[in-house]
């Protein structure tokens, strides 16, 4: 897996050493020597990861990281602070600045490459979501910004059979989050199926295999998006590397430092919410692409695709498909007399009555204006005619209530058609049903006309 990595260090020898190591692993490496250049290159080049030295003249690594995470164009780029400092205060300061990890010099090459691989893999997943969200935004399908996303109030699951350690972690987390504890692998998996923002796994547990739990969380569709914080003895290199390789997002060293834990948990919870936010926006955009915003029914685009597939299947000898074309009678008079707001109310109420009178397998759609279509899989002309009559009666049986407490009588004309075999097409099927609508209107409206051919 290749990626673009920006190395930032004011010492040329350090830059060249890191560049050589990363190039040998087939990474594309960018370099610079100060924080200002880092901000510019990060915005222009959009690297997949930034390895950022802390001790630099002018703007130090902490401030550079803070600015990277504050800017909309660069906040999604993972940042690893690299420094000779190894103090607890500096590590926590770096995490609170938004850093995704904090590595001390001299760098352990194996640990470095494991962190690079883990963070660039996560970045690629987030990039795909961001690209889809950006495409939706350009189409005008925007569901809001990310400014409200916080790293507190998370639902955090602690899976640990060390009772004292688990209770200490939960107690510290309860200051900002909503922790819960599981002490077995099975209980941990069951709890993770709920609404969880982060799982903390004691990889060194004696009563269960923490690595197996990480692997199972990553293998199950419903849980693979939950971030995992692996709790581990840092001298246990094989387990540490295996945890990262299996998909743990971060490492928390034992014995647990409460402030460092809080900083890492906040980072993971906020990242989880950002990912959920992008996925929700994508789902919202897809819904808008397939749904009529006024009525909530499927739109013409969705209907066309479904009808094409069903007619093609019927032409190959499959089940027949029928369509209803429905046109609200005298709808222009409603708009002209009462205004378009009342017209919209009529369309919404009509859509409710339409949707409640068709079967679960049917597809009620708004075709455009006051015209609607129902696609009916596995339905003969006779059955479709019977359902159309039921819809017509329900629409006309009770007046529509509109703004101000007034009521309005509404009727509908319906045309019905069913597939004819291998030579039929979606266009011909809709045309026959549409001709039925015209015939119904010519006969006085408020009626159903079926066109067999």
């Amino acid at each position: 897996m290749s990626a673009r990595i920006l190395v930032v260090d004011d010492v040329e020898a350090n830059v060249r050493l890191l560049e050589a190591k990363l190039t040998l692993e087939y990474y594309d490496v960018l370099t610079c020597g100060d924080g200002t250049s880092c901000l510019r290159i990060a915005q222009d080049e959009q690297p997949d990861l930034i390895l950022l030295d802390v001790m630099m003249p002018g703007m130090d690594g902490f401030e550079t990281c803070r600015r990277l995470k504050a800017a909309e164009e660069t906040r999604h780029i993972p940042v690893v602070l690299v420094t000779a400092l190894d103090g607890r205060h500096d590590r926590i300061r770096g995490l609170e600045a938004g850093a995704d990890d904090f590595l001390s010099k001299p760098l352990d090459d194996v640990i470095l490459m494991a962190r690079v691989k883990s963070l660039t893999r996560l970045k690629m997943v987030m990039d795909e979501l961001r690209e889809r969200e950006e495409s939706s935004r350009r189409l005008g399908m925007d569901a809001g910004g990310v400014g409200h996303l916080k790293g507190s109030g998370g639902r955090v699951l602690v899976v640990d059979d060390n009772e004292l350690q688990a209770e200490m972690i939960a107690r510290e987390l309860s200051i900002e989050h909503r922790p819960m504890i599981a002490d077995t692998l099975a209980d941990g998996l069951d709890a993770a199926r709920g609404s969880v923002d982060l799982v903390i796994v004691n990889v060194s547990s004696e009563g269960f295999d923490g690595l197996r739990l990480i692997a199972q969380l990553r293998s199950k569709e419903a849980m693979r998006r939950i971030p995992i914080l692996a709790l581990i003895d840092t001298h246990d290199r094989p387990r540490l590397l295996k945890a990262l390789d299996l998909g743990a997002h971060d490492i928390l060293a034992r014995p647990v430092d409460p402030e460092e834990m809080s900083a890492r948990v906040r980072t993971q919870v906020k990242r989880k919410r950002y990912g959920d936010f992008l996925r929700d926006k994508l789902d919202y955009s897809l819904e808008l692409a397939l749904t009529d915003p006024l009525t909530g029914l499927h739109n013409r685009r969705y209907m066309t695709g479904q009808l094409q597939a069903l007619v093609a299947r019927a032409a190959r000898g499959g089940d027949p498909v029928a369509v209803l074309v429905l046109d609200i009678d005298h709808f222009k008079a409603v708009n002209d007399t009462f205004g378009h707001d009342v017209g919209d109310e009529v369309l919404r109420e009509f859509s409710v009555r339409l949707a409640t009178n068709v079967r679960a397998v049917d597809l009620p759609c708004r075709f455009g204006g006051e015209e609607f279509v129902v696609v009916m899989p596995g339905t003969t002309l006779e059955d479709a005619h019977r359902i159309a009559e039921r819809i017509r009666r329900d629409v006309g049986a009770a007046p529509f209530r509109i703004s101000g407490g007034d009521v309005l009588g509404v009727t509908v004309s319906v045309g019905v058609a069913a597939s004819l075999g291998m030579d039929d097409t979606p266009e011909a099927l809709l045309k026959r049903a549409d001709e039925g609508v015209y015939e119904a209107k010519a006969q006085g409206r408020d009626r159903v006309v079926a066109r067999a051919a």
Side-chain angles (χ1 to χ4, degrees):
M1 177 181 65
S2 184
R4 304 181 73 204
I5 300 176
L6 173 58
V7 176
V8 187
D9 198 316
D10 62 314
V11 179
E12 183 70 16
N14 292 340
V15 172
R16 297 304 164 212
L17 181 60
L18 265 176
E19 183 180 18
K21 291 178 178 179
L22 293 166
T23 302
L24 282 174
E25 297 294 328
Y26 301 100
Y27 290 106
D28 182 15
V29 182
L30 306 169
T31 64
C32 67
D34 60 84
T36 302
S37 298
C38 171
L39 296 176
R40 175 179 52 80
I41 294 172
Q43 180 168 335
D44 294 344
E45 300 295 334
Q46 293 291 302
D48 297 300
L49 177 68
I50 299 174
L51 296 177
L52 177 61
D53 186 41
V54 169
M55 302 299 292
M56 295 186 296
M59 187 189 309
D60 65 14
F62 296 127
E63 180 60 25
T64 304
C65 181
R66 194 172 291 109
R67 295 192 185 188
L68 286 167
K69 294 299 183 179
E72 184 176 351
E73 299 83 2
T74 56
R75 63 162 58 106
H76 62 284
I77 303 174
V79 176
V80 176
L81 290 175
V82 182
T83 181
L85 300 174
D86 194 23
R88 169 180 175 274
H89 172 74
D90 296 302
R91 187 167 61 251
I92 294 170
R93 184 182 172 193
L95 294 169
E96 290 180 342
D100 295 86
D101 209 341
F102 195 100
L103 299 178
S104 300
K105 299 176 182 177
L107 294 176
D108 183 313
D109 289 354
V110 177
I111 298 296
L112 170 65
M113 293 307 169
R115 297 306 288 141
V116 167
K117 180 180 179 182
S118 173
L119 289 169
T120 53
R121 179 173 55 198
L122 175 64
K123 165 71 162 44
M124 289 177 182
V125 173
M126 300 299 285
D127 278 352
E128 182 177 354
L129 290 172
R130 289 178 63 252
E131 287 171 8
R132 294 179 182 178
E133 186 271 333
E134 177 62 22
S135 297
S136 300
R137 189 188 62 78
R138 287 196 298 268
L139 292 172
M141 303 172 184
D142 193 2
V146 299
H148 65 285
L149 299 177
K150 304 296 182 184
S152 59
R155 187 82 167 145
V156 182
L157 171 62
V158 181
V159 189
D160 191 351
D161 62 351
N162 184 327
E163 184 177 352
L164 292 178
Q165 180 174 260
E167 289 178 352
M168 182 276 291
I169 291 173
R171 186 169 58 252
E172 293 293 336
L173 290 175
S174 65
I175 298 171
E176 291 186 82
H177 304 279
R178 295 168 294 156
M180 52 183 175
I181 298 174
D183 58 5
T184 68
L185 189 150
D187 288 347
L189 285 174
D190 286 342
R193 291 188 177 93
S195 178
V196 175
D197 295 305
L198 174 66
V199 177
I200 299 177
V201 180
N202 182 4
V203 178
S204 303
S205 290
E206 296 181 0
F208 62 88
D209 187 343
L211 292 174
R212 181 173 296 279
L213 176 58
I214 293 175
Q216 292 193 17
L217 288 170
R218 284 289 160 266
S219 68
K220 298 181 183 299
E221 176 67 26
M223 295 178 280
R224 63 178 48 151
R225 293 171 184 164
I226 303 172
I228 299 172
L229 186 58
L231 178 61
I232 195 167
D233 296 316
T234 52
H235 64 267
D236 191 351
R237 285 171 53 87
R239 282 186 178 174
L240 188 154
L241 295 173
K242 192 63 177 177
L244 291 172
D245 187 55
L246 288 172
H249 291 72
D250 201 358
I251 299 295
L252 180 62
R254 297 176 61 195
V256 175
D257 182 301
E259 287 190 55
E260 180 178 349
M261 177 181 68
S262 296
R264 292 187 184 276
V265 168
R266 279 195 298 271
T267 297
Q268 294 302 324
V269 168
K270 190 169 185 178
R271 179 183 289 160
K272 166 67 160 51
R273 288 173 175 169
Y274 181 57
D276 289 346
F277 170 80
L278 292 177
R279 290 185 182 91
D280 288 345
K281 287 191 73 173
L282 176 58
D283 291 342
Y284 172 77
S285 300
L286 289 174
E287 182 179 349
L288 286 181
L290 302 175
T291 305
D292 173 60
L294 177 65
T295 65
L297 300 179
H298 293 302
N299 60 19
R300 182 171 183 167
R301 176 189 300 174
Y302 182 79
M303 182 277 297
T304 300
Q306 296 297 309
L307 184 59
Q308 285 176 342
L310 290 167
V311 170
R313 187 173 66 184
R316 296 193 300 268
D319 292 336
V321 57
V323 296
L324 311 182
V325 174
L326 309 96
D327 193 281
I328 300 175
D329 296 327
H330 302 296
F331 184 74
K332 184 176 184 301
V334 174
N335 279 333
D336 292 344
T337 304
F338 301 97
H340 289 279
D341 288 345
V342 170
D344 288 348
E345 290 181 43
V346 170
L347 290 173
R348 283 191 286 265
E349 174 60 22
F350 177 83
S351 300
V352 171
R353 299 193 189 191
L354 174 62
T356 54
N357 277 283
V358 298
R359 304 165 305 175
V361 296
D362 297 331
L363 300 174
C365 313
R366 186 183 179 196
F367 199 66
E370 69 273 23
E371 193 171 33
F372 295 77
V373 171
V374 180
V375 178
M376 312 180 75
T379 307
T380 64
L381 186 68
E382 294 75 15
D383 290 337
H385 188 282
R386 185 169 59 254
I387 294 173
E389 279 288 355
R390 184 171 67 203
I391 296 169
R392 184 194 65 80
R393 288 194 301 269
D394 188 64
V395 169
F400 286 34
R401 295 193 175 276
I402 57 176
S403 297
D406 294 332
V407 294
L408 186 64
V410 176
T411 61
V412 63
S413 298
V414 188
V416 185
S419 56
L420 297 176
M422 61 182 301
D423 295 327
D424 212 356
T425 66
E427 295 77 16
L429 183 58
L430 285 171
K431 183 179 180 181
R432 293 197 301 275
D434 200 42
E435 289 171 350
V437 173
Y438 281 107
E439 187 174 336
K441 289 186 177 293
Q443 294 177 11
R445 295 182 169 85
D446 189 21
R447 64 193 63 221
V448 176
V449 173
R451 297 296 296 266

